[in-house]
Amino acid sequence: MDTVEFSRTVPRELVHRLSITEVLVTGVLARDEDTLDVGVQVPRSHAFYRDTAGCSHLYDPMVLVEAARQTLIMLGHELFDMPFGTKFILREIALHETDPAALAVSVVPTEVVLRCHILRRFRDQDSVRGARLRYSALIGDHVAATLECSMSWVPPENWQEMREKGRVGLGLSPHLAIEAPEPLPRIHKGLVDRRDDSNVVLSSLQVPPASAGTGTARLVVDTRHPVLFDHYVDHVPGMLTLEAFRQLGIATAVATGALPSEAALLTGISARFTAIGELDLPVTCESMLAQSDGTSALLQCALRQGDRTVATGHVRLTRSGTEAGAR
């Protein structure tokens, strides 16, 4: 049987990365019209996706989310013939059924096969304008996680018009060549299980003391971050939103007693994006404890900008040392 390629990464342009070291995808092999295998190499060392203090013996499952996102961008170009310059809008993304035992860090980089199933093609009168995929992340014979992702593809001229109209509606300048203000002071890295201060994405944290409630924080938008802002974007990136959900979820779960410490593995996360987050307006994160059994905690999350909801979703966190994944 043919196997997917792992000897080199795909061209960085195919996954919209500037830094070659941020390219995770190594190749693609079509199984049939709706099924493809995508190769991914997970590095043993990474400044962002291997920065947790309490779960250093395991790969961060968020790297699989980023790999799924890169995969759908690549397929937009390679499979659906979207020209370079097309804007890709992340609509929904989710990670489910993570198996921590499959994510143990080895003595060599880990090779993952993302088995991709095209669930739906979104069409207009002329062509495909988006797709929804489901993924099984295979490490050897083990399913390390399942994921889903959907994106839409917008011609650059339509994107420009849409963005300018949206900004004017918010009372902002239509000009898109902007940078975020100086990043806000970050909360202490230990509150969100990080070793590097620059990877903290929350400020002005408020969490409920020892009782169920809603944690809130301001989003730190640092356009100098080498991973979350690998290249210029004119809006709050989707992966920054997911990281905010994770970090605020950790802080809220610990403050409410749902988890005993910040050392918690991400075993599930989702986001549905309903608006574009502007870089030059304050963004608020919210996280509410929804379920807890002493081993894992489920929190509902939201990202808001003024009276607009930018994204909603959930995060599931499992106590470090727990071997079973969250279902």
PDB file of all heavy atoms in Angstrom, residues 121-144:
ATOM      1  N   ARG A 121     -18.627  19.864   0.678  1.00  0.00           N
ATOM      2  CA  ARG A 121     -18.058  20.932  -0.136  1.00  0.00           C
ATOM      3  C   ARG A 121     -19.093  22.038  -0.235  1.00  0.00           C
ATOM      4  O   ARG A 121     -20.239  21.785  -0.627  1.00  0.00           O
ATOM      5  CB  ARG A 121     -17.699  20.421  -1.535  1.00  0.00           C
ATOM      6  CG  ARG A 121     -16.581  19.373  -1.560  1.00  0.00           C
ATOM      7  CD  ARG A 121     -16.513  18.725  -2.926  1.00  0.00           C
ATOM      8  NE  ARG A 121     -15.336  17.878  -3.111  1.00  0.00           N
ATOM      9  CZ  ARG A 121     -15.246  16.628  -2.711  1.00  0.00           C
ATOM     10  NH1 ARG A 121     -16.279  16.060  -2.074  1.00  0.00           N
ATOM     11  NH2 ARG A 121     -14.142  15.924  -2.914  1.00  0.00           N
ATOM     12  N   PHE A 122     -18.699  23.246   0.129  1.00  0.00           N
ATOM     13  CA  PHE A 122     -19.607  24.389   0.045  1.00  0.00           C
ATOM     14  C   PHE A 122     -19.417  25.042  -1.324  1.00  0.00           C
ATOM     15  O   PHE A 122     -18.307  25.416  -1.700  1.00  0.00           O
ATOM     16  CB  PHE A 122     -19.310  25.397   1.157  1.00  0.00           C
ATOM     17  CG  PHE A 122     -19.444  24.818   2.536  1.00  0.00           C
ATOM     18  CD1 PHE A 122     -18.317  24.471   3.267  1.00  0.00           C
ATOM     19  CD2 PHE A 122     -20.691  24.603   3.106  1.00  0.00           C
ATOM     20  CE1 PHE A 122     -18.421  23.931   4.533  1.00  0.00           C
ATOM     21  CE2 PHE A 122     -20.810  24.062   4.375  1.00  0.00           C
ATOM     22  CZ  PHE A 122     -19.674  23.723   5.090  1.00  0.00           C
ATOM     23  N   ARG A 123     -20.480  25.170  -2.078  1.00  0.00           N
ATOM     24  CA  ARG A 123     -20.391  25.645  -3.456  1.00  0.00           C
ATOM     25  C   ARG A 123     -21.213  26.914  -3.659  1.00  0.00           C
ATOM     26  O   ARG A 123     -22.226  27.135  -3.000  1.00  0.00           O
ATOM     27  CB  ARG A 123     -20.915  24.576  -4.429  1.00  0.00           C
ATOM     28  CG  ARG A 123     -20.195  23.239  -4.325  1.00  0.00           C
ATOM     29  CD  ARG A 123     -20.797  22.226  -5.300  1.00  0.00           C
ATOM     30  NE  ARG A 123     -20.190  20.916  -5.171  1.00  0.00           N
ATOM     31  CZ  ARG A 123     -19.110  20.526  -5.831  1.00  0.00           C
ATOM     32  NH1 ARG A 123     -18.528  21.361  -6.681  1.00  0.00           N
ATOM     33  NH2 ARG A 123     -18.619  19.310  -5.664  1.00  0.00           N
ATOM     34  N   ASP A 124     -20.732  27.743  -4.605  1.00  0.00           N
ATOM     35  CA  ASP A 124     -21.589  28.789  -5.146  1.00  0.00           C
ATOM     36  C   ASP A 124     -21.902  28.387  -6.589  1.00  0.00           C
ATOM     37  O   ASP A 124     -21.740  27.226  -6.965  1.00  0.00           O
ATOM     38  CB  ASP A 124     -20.922  30.168  -5.051  1.00  0.00           C
ATOM     39  CG  ASP A 124     -19.615  30.250  -5.843  1.00  0.00           C
ATOM     40  OD1 ASP A 124     -19.350  29.358  -6.677  1.00  0.00           O
ATOM     41  OD2 ASP A 124     -18.869  31.236  -5.639  1.00  0.00           O
ATOM     42  N   GLN A 125     -22.334  29.309  -7.398  1.00  0.00           N
ATOM     43  CA  GLN A 125     -22.733  28.959  -8.757  1.00  0.00           C
ATOM     44  C   GLN A 125     -21.559  28.474  -9.599  1.00  0.00           C
ATOM     45  O   GLN A 125     -21.746  27.671 -10.527  1.00  0.00           O
ATOM     46  CB  GLN A 125     -23.388  30.163  -9.435  1.00  0.00           C
ATOM     47  CG  GLN A 125     -24.734  30.543  -8.839  1.00  0.00           C
ATOM     48  CD  GLN A 125     -25.363  31.722  -9.559  1.00  0.00           C
ATOM     49  OE1 GLN A 125     -24.679  32.450 -10.278  1.00  0.00           O
ATOM     50  NE2 GLN A 125     -26.652  31.916  -9.353  1.00  0.00           N
ATOM     51  N   ASP A 126     -20.354  28.933  -9.285  1.00  0.00           N
ATOM     52  CA  ASP A 126     -19.213  28.661 -10.159  1.00  0.00           C
ATOM     53  C   ASP A 126     -18.237  27.615  -9.646  1.00  0.00           C
ATOM     54  O   ASP A 126     -17.623  26.897 -10.437  1.00  0.00           O
ATOM     55  CB  ASP A 126     -18.450  29.973 -10.424  1.00  0.00           C
ATOM     56  CG  ASP A 126     -19.330  31.025 -11.075  1.00  0.00           C
ATOM     57  OD1 ASP A 126     -20.101  30.665 -11.970  1.00  0.00           O
ATOM     58  OD2 ASP A 126     -19.247  32.189 -10.658  1.00  0.00           O
ATOM     59  N   SER A 127     -18.056  27.540  -8.330  1.00  0.00           N
ATOM     60  CA  SER A 127     -16.989  26.688  -7.833  1.00  0.00           C
ATOM     61  C   SER A 127     -17.193  26.360  -6.362  1.00  0.00           C
ATOM     62  O   SER A 127     -18.121  26.860  -5.710  1.00  0.00           O
ATOM     63  CB  SER A 127     -15.639  27.381  -8.029  1.00  0.00           C
ATOM     64  OG  SER A 127     -15.597  28.581  -7.263  1.00  0.00           O
ATOM     65  N   VAL A 128     -16.302  25.526  -5.842  1.00  0.00           N
ATOM     66  CA  VAL A 128     -16.284  25.231  -4.415  1.00  0.00           C
ATOM     67  C   VAL A 128     -15.723  26.443  -3.671  1.00  0.00           C
ATOM     68  O   VAL A 128     -14.699  26.995  -4.053  1.00  0.00           O
ATOM     69  CB  VAL A 128     -15.420  23.985  -4.135  1.00  0.00           C
ATOM     70  CG1 VAL A 128     -15.301  23.744  -2.635  1.00  0.00           C
ATOM     71  CG2 VAL A 128     -16.007  22.763  -4.825  1.00  0.00           C
ATOM     72  N   ARG A 129     -16.413  26.869  -2.623  1.00  0.00           N
ATOM     73  CA  ARG A 129     -15.999  28.045  -1.858  1.00  0.00           C
ATOM     74  C   ARG A 129     -15.695  27.715  -0.403  1.00  0.00           C
ATOM     75  O   ARG A 129     -15.571  28.613   0.426  1.00  0.00           O
ATOM     76  CB  ARG A 129     -17.080  29.128  -1.923  1.00  0.00           C
ATOM     77  CG  ARG A 129     -17.188  29.796  -3.276  1.00  0.00           C
ATOM     78  CD  ARG A 129     -15.888  30.478  -3.654  1.00  0.00           C
ATOM     79  NE  ARG A 129     -15.960  31.168  -4.937  1.00  0.00           N
ATOM     80  CZ  ARG A 129     -14.914  31.665  -5.566  1.00  0.00           C
ATOM     81  NH1 ARG A 129     -13.708  31.542  -5.033  1.00  0.00           N
ATOM     82  NH2 ARG A 129     -15.057  32.274  -6.726  1.00  0.00           N
ATOM     83  N   GLY A 130     -15.569  26.427  -0.101  1.00  0.00           N
ATOM     84  CA  GLY A 130     -15.236  26.030   1.259  1.00  0.00           C
ATOM     85  C   GLY A 130     -15.460  24.545   1.430  1.00  0.00           C
ATOM     86  O   GLY A 130     -15.972  23.859   0.536  1.00  0.00           O
ATOM     87  N   ALA A 131     -15.037  24.040   2.596  1.00  0.00           N
ATOM     88  CA  ALA A 131     -15.175  22.616   2.850  1.00  0.00           C
ATOM     89  C   ALA A 131     -15.171  22.362   4.350  1.00  0.00           C
ATOM     90  O   ALA A 131     -14.640  23.145   5.134  1.00  0.00           O
ATOM     91  CB  ALA A 131     -14.057  21.832   2.173  1.00  0.00           C
ATOM     92  N   ARG A 132     -15.777  21.225   4.714  1.00  0.00           N
ATOM     93  CA  ARG A 132     -15.720  20.712   6.090  1.00  0.00           C
ATOM     94  C   ARG A 132     -15.063  19.346   6.056  1.00  0.00           C
ATOM     95  O   ARG A 132     -15.447  18.490   5.242  1.00  0.00           O
ATOM     96  CB  ARG A 132     -17.120  20.608   6.705  1.00  0.00           C
ATOM     97  CG  ARG A 132     -17.128  19.947   8.087  1.00  0.00           C
ATOM     98  CD  ARG A 132     -18.535  19.798   8.632  1.00  0.00           C
ATOM     99  NE  ARG A 132     -19.102  21.075   8.954  1.00  0.00           N
ATOM    100  CZ  ARG A 132     -18.914  21.724  10.102  1.00  0.00           C
ATOM    101  NH1 ARG A 132     -18.129  21.176  11.034  1.00  0.00           N
ATOM    102  NH2 ARG A 132     -19.467  22.879  10.339  1.00  0.00           N
ATOM    103  N   LEU A 133     -14.091  19.142   6.937  1.00  0.00           N
ATOM    104  CA  LEU A 133     -13.367  17.879   6.999  1.00  0.00           C
ATOM    105  C   LEU A 133     -13.407  17.303   8.409  1.00  0.00           C
ATOM    106  O   LEU A 133     -13.455  18.053   9.391  1.00  0.00           O
ATOM    107  CB  LEU A 133     -11.905  18.061   6.592  1.00  0.00           C
ATOM    108  CG  LEU A 133     -11.545  17.897   5.106  1.00  0.00           C
ATOM    109  CD1 LEU A 133     -12.181  18.993   4.263  1.00  0.00           C
ATOM    110  CD2 LEU A 133     -10.029  17.900   4.925  1.00  0.00           C
ATOM    111  N   ARG A 134     -13.376  15.979   8.474  1.00  0.00           N
ATOM    112  CA  ARG A 134     -13.167  15.276   9.736  1.00  0.00           C
ATOM    113  C   ARG A 134     -11.835  14.543   9.640  1.00  0.00           C
ATOM    114  O   ARG A 134     -11.486  14.004   8.599  1.00  0.00           O
ATOM    115  CB  ARG A 134     -14.294  14.290  10.016  1.00  0.00           C
ATOM    116  CG  ARG A 134     -14.080  13.485  11.313  1.00  0.00           C
ATOM    117  CD  ARG A 134     -15.205  12.503  11.583  1.00  0.00           C
ATOM    118  NE  ARG A 134     -16.438  13.222  11.852  1.00  0.00           N
ATOM    119  CZ  ARG A 134     -17.613  12.934  11.276  1.00  0.00           C
ATOM    120  NH1 ARG A 134     -17.692  11.962  10.378  1.00  0.00           N
ATOM    121  NH2 ARG A 134     -18.682  13.621  11.582  1.00  0.00           N
ATOM    122  N   TYR A 135     -11.078  14.519  10.742  1.00  0.00           N
ATOM    123  CA  TYR A 135      -9.750  13.933  10.758  1.00  0.00           C
ATOM    124  C   TYR A 135      -9.643  12.896  11.876  1.00  0.00           C
ATOM    125  O   TYR A 135     -10.155  13.109  12.975  1.00  0.00           O
ATOM    126  CB  TYR A 135      -8.670  14.981  11.047  1.00  0.00           C
ATOM    127  CG  TYR A 135      -8.724  16.249  10.237  1.00  0.00           C
ATOM    128  CD1 TYR A 135      -9.616  17.268  10.542  1.00  0.00           C
ATOM    129  CD2 TYR A 135      -7.831  16.464   9.190  1.00  0.00           C
ATOM    130  CE1 TYR A 135      -9.638  18.454   9.817  1.00  0.00           C
ATOM    131  CE2 TYR A 135      -7.843  17.645   8.465  1.00  0.00           C
ATOM    132  CZ  TYR A 135      -8.755  18.630   8.785  1.00  0.00           C
ATOM    133  OH  TYR A 135      -8.763  19.802   8.074  1.00  0.00           O
ATOM    134  N   SER A 136      -8.942  11.825  11.580  1.00  0.00           N
ATOM    135  CA  SER A 136      -8.455  10.920  12.621  1.00  0.00           C
ATOM    136  C   SER A 136      -6.937  11.074  12.652  1.00  0.00           C
ATOM    137  O   SER A 136      -6.275  10.879  11.628  1.00  0.00           O
ATOM    138  CB  SER A 136      -8.828   9.467  12.311  1.00  0.00           C
ATOM    139  OG  SER A 136     -10.229   9.284  12.329  1.00  0.00           O
ATOM    140  N   ALA A 137      -6.403  11.431  13.819  1.00  0.00           N
ATOM    141  CA  ALA A 137      -4.958  11.603  13.958  1.00  0.00           C
ATOM    142  C   ALA A 137      -4.360  10.270  14.384  1.00  0.00           C
ATOM    143  O   ALA A 137      -4.528   9.837  15.532  1.00  0.00           O
ATOM    144  CB  ALA A 137      -4.644  12.685  14.981  1.00  0.00           C
ATOM    145  N   LEU A 138      -3.664   9.616  13.470  1.00  0.00           N
ATOM    146  CA  LEU A 138      -3.125   8.286  13.707  1.00  0.00           C
ATOM    147  C   LEU A 138      -1.641   8.362  14.025  1.00  0.00           C
ATOM    148  O   LEU A 138      -0.855   8.912  13.249  1.00  0.00           O
ATOM    149  CB  LEU A 138      -3.334   7.402  12.475  1.00  0.00           C
ATOM    150  CG  LEU A 138      -4.775   7.267  11.962  1.00  0.00           C
ATOM    151  CD1 LEU A 138      -4.802   6.516  10.638  1.00  0.00           C
ATOM    152  CD2 LEU A 138      -5.633   6.558  12.997  1.00  0.00           C
ATOM    153  N   ILE A 139      -1.260   7.819  15.170  1.00  0.00           N
ATOM    154  CA  ILE A 139       0.145   7.655  15.530  1.00  0.00           C
ATOM    155  C   ILE A 139       0.382   6.156  15.625  1.00  0.00           C
ATOM    156  O   ILE A 139      -0.075   5.500  16.563  1.00  0.00           O
ATOM    157  CB  ILE A 139       0.486   8.357  16.848  1.00  0.00           C
ATOM    158  CG1 ILE A 139       0.208   9.864  16.740  1.00  0.00           C
ATOM    159  CG2 ILE A 139       1.945   8.117  17.232  1.00  0.00           C
ATOM    160  CD1 ILE A 139       0.450  10.638  18.021  1.00  0.00           C
ATOM    161  N   GLY A 140       1.046   5.625  14.615  1.00  0.00           N
ATOM    162  CA  GLY A 140       1.119   4.176  14.503  1.00  0.00           C
ATOM    163  C   GLY A 140      -0.275   3.626  14.287  1.00  0.00           C
ATOM    164  O   GLY A 140      -1.011   4.072  13.398  1.00  0.00           O
ATOM    165  N   ASP A 141      -0.674   2.668  15.116  1.00  0.00           N
ATOM    166  CA  ASP A 141      -2.006   2.078  15.006  1.00  0.00           C
ATOM    167  C   ASP A 141      -3.016   2.729  15.943  1.00  0.00           C
ATOM    168  O   ASP A 141      -4.170   2.294  16.004  1.00  0.00           O
ATOM    169  CB  ASP A 141      -1.942   0.571  15.317  1.00  0.00           C
ATOM    170  CG  ASP A 141      -1.110  -0.189  14.306  1.00  0.00           C
ATOM    171  OD1 ASP A 141      -1.078   0.240  13.137  1.00  0.00           O
ATOM    172  OD2 ASP A 141      -0.481  -1.193  14.687  1.00  0.00           O
ATOM    173  N   HIS A 142      -2.591   3.760  16.661  1.00  0.00           N
ATOM    174  CA  HIS A 142      -3.454   4.366  17.666  1.00  0.00           C
ATOM    175  C   HIS A 142      -4.098   5.650  17.134  1.00  0.00           C
ATOM    176  O   HIS A 142      -3.446   6.453  16.472  1.00  0.00           O
ATOM    177  CB  HIS A 142      -2.660   4.693  18.926  1.00  0.00           C
ATOM    178  CG  HIS A 142      -2.018   3.507  19.573  1.00  0.00           C
ATOM    179  ND1 HIS A 142      -2.712   2.592  20.332  1.00  0.00           N
ATOM    180  CD2 HIS A 142      -0.732   3.075  19.545  1.00  0.00           C
ATOM    181  CE1 HIS A 142      -1.898   1.651  20.748  1.00  0.00           C
ATOM    182  NE2 HIS A 142      -0.685   1.918  20.286  1.00  0.00           N
ATOM    183  N   VAL A 143      -5.365   5.850  17.447  1.00  0.00           N
ATOM    184  CA  VAL A 143      -6.041   7.115  17.156  1.00  0.00           C
ATOM    185  C   VAL A 143      -5.771   8.054  18.319  1.00  0.00           C
ATOM    186  O   VAL A 143      -6.311   7.870  19.419  1.00  0.00           O
ATOM    187  CB  VAL A 143      -7.548   6.920  16.945  1.00  0.00           C
ATOM    188  CG1 VAL A 143      -8.222   8.270  16.676  1.00  0.00           C
ATOM    189  CG2 VAL A 143      -7.814   5.965  15.786  1.00  0.00           C
ATOM    190  N   ALA A 144      -4.920   9.026  18.098  1.00  0.00           N
ATOM    191  CA  ALA A 144      -4.537   9.952  19.162  1.00  0.00           C
ATOM    192  C   ALA A 144      -5.625  10.979  19.445  1.00  0.00           C
ATOM    193  O   ALA A 144      -5.733  11.470  20.568  1.00  0.00           O
ATOM    194  CB  ALA A 144      -3.240  10.662  18.804  1.00  0.00           C
TER     195      ALA A 144
END
